[in-house]
Amino acid sequence: MLEWIGVTLALSVVLMGGGITALTLAGSSNGEEKSTAVTGTEAPRLRFRLADSSEPKTLRDYRGQVVLLNLWATWCPPCLDELPQLNRLQKTHGSQGLVVVTISDERRSTIRRFEREKLQLNTVSGYLPQDRSWPAPYNRVRQSRPYSFVIGPEGIIRDFWSGAGDYSTFVEAVRPYLVNPVSSDKPSPRKDAQ
């Protein structure tokens, strides 16, 4: 009798383990479907504060413009690598309806010190207040940084990715939504070179 109980218990453990594995696999494939479902949906409300003034802002404040939303941190090496490219992107394409919004969930003082000592951001530099959390899908930043979202002028998420981008990656992602996009991002010849 004890032998049957042992066999039954062992079989139950194996079946439970298989069930947990199946649920995990189903959850991960479902997660992939959800991630692609983000594109083409309205950008959820994101409330943040400007790093320079602590003025409250939302993504809706930039409706009518193409927004490249970049979620970053001062401790993230890939984030630091791409920040100069984001500054360049804002400078080059701001006149075509682009606004680059860089947001960190670090304290305002940390971001301000970073901008003073390391790199001045020419983007809309903001922070997520300590009493707030990232709403979905922006909460993906908890697993990976940097995270970037392209939001069209009508407020629809058009593209997103995890990991650092370079200048050409950013340009290709925003170009379809810009007003009169520049066909070449090569610098124009200097006047003194003629």
Side-chain angles (χ1 to χ4, degrees):
M1 181 78 155
L2 285 175
E3 196 173 293
W4 282 105
I5 292 173
V7 170
T8 306
L9 184 59
L11 187 57
S12 297
V13 169
V14 169
L15 290 174
M16 285 176 54
I20 290 170
T21 302
L23 285 174
T24 303
L25 292 174
S28 67
S29 88
N30 191 19
E32 288 302 313
E33 291 170 21
K34 285 182 184 177
S35 70
T36 56
V38 170
T39 304
T41 63
E42 186 169 351
R45 183 175 186 172
L46 177 60
R47 297 180 349 191
F48 62 97
R49 292 183 174 270
L50 297 178
D52 63 351
S53 66
S54 211
E55 177 186 351
K57 288 288 188 178
T58 69
L59 286 179
R60 286 185 182 262
D61 293 333
Y62 304 99
R63 189 63 63 94
Q65 298 177 73
V66 177
V67 174
L68 179 77
L69 173 63
N70 182 265
L71 309 179
W72 72 289
T74 60
W75 50 260
C76 163
C79 300
L80 304 182
D81 288 344
E82 74 179 0
L83 285 173
Q85 306 309 313
L86 293 169
N87 274 347
R88 179 180 172 201
L89 187 73
Q90 179 62 56
K91 181 179 180 183
T92 327
H93 296 285
S95 63
Q96 298 162 350
L98 175 69
V99 61
V100 178
V101 179
T102 52
I103 302 177
S104 174
D105 55 4
E106 297 170 285
R107 296 185 183 280
R108 178 180 182 233
S109 59
T110 302
I111 298 166
R112 302 264 300 152
R113 184 174 49 251
F114 173 83
E115 288 196 55
R116 255 191 333 271
E117 297 173 5
K118 305 278 185 193
L119 177 68
Q120 179 65 42
L121 296 178
N122 300 322
T123 63
V124 173
S125 175
Y127 66 97
L128 188 71
Q130 298 294 307
D131 63 342
R132 299 239 170 83
S133 59
W134 296 108
Y138 313 122
N139 60 354
R140 295 162 190 251
V141 75
R142 287 188 229 140
Q143 285 103 23
S144 174
R145 290 181 202 228
Y147 222 101
S148 298
F149 294 83
V150 175
I151 303 168
E154 70 292 342
I156 302 297
I157 296 175
R158 296 299 177 188
D159 199 358
F160 67 99
W161 63 91
S162 171
D166 60 17
Y167 182 74
S168 61
T169 301
F170 294 130
V171 169
E172 290 308 309
V174 300
R175 185 186 314 263
Y177 311 104
L178 297 176
V179 176
N180 300 319
V182 175
S183 60
S184 172
D185 291 303
K186 295 177 184 171
S188 55
R190 293 189 342 218
K191 290 182 181 181
D192 60 343
Q194 296 177 352

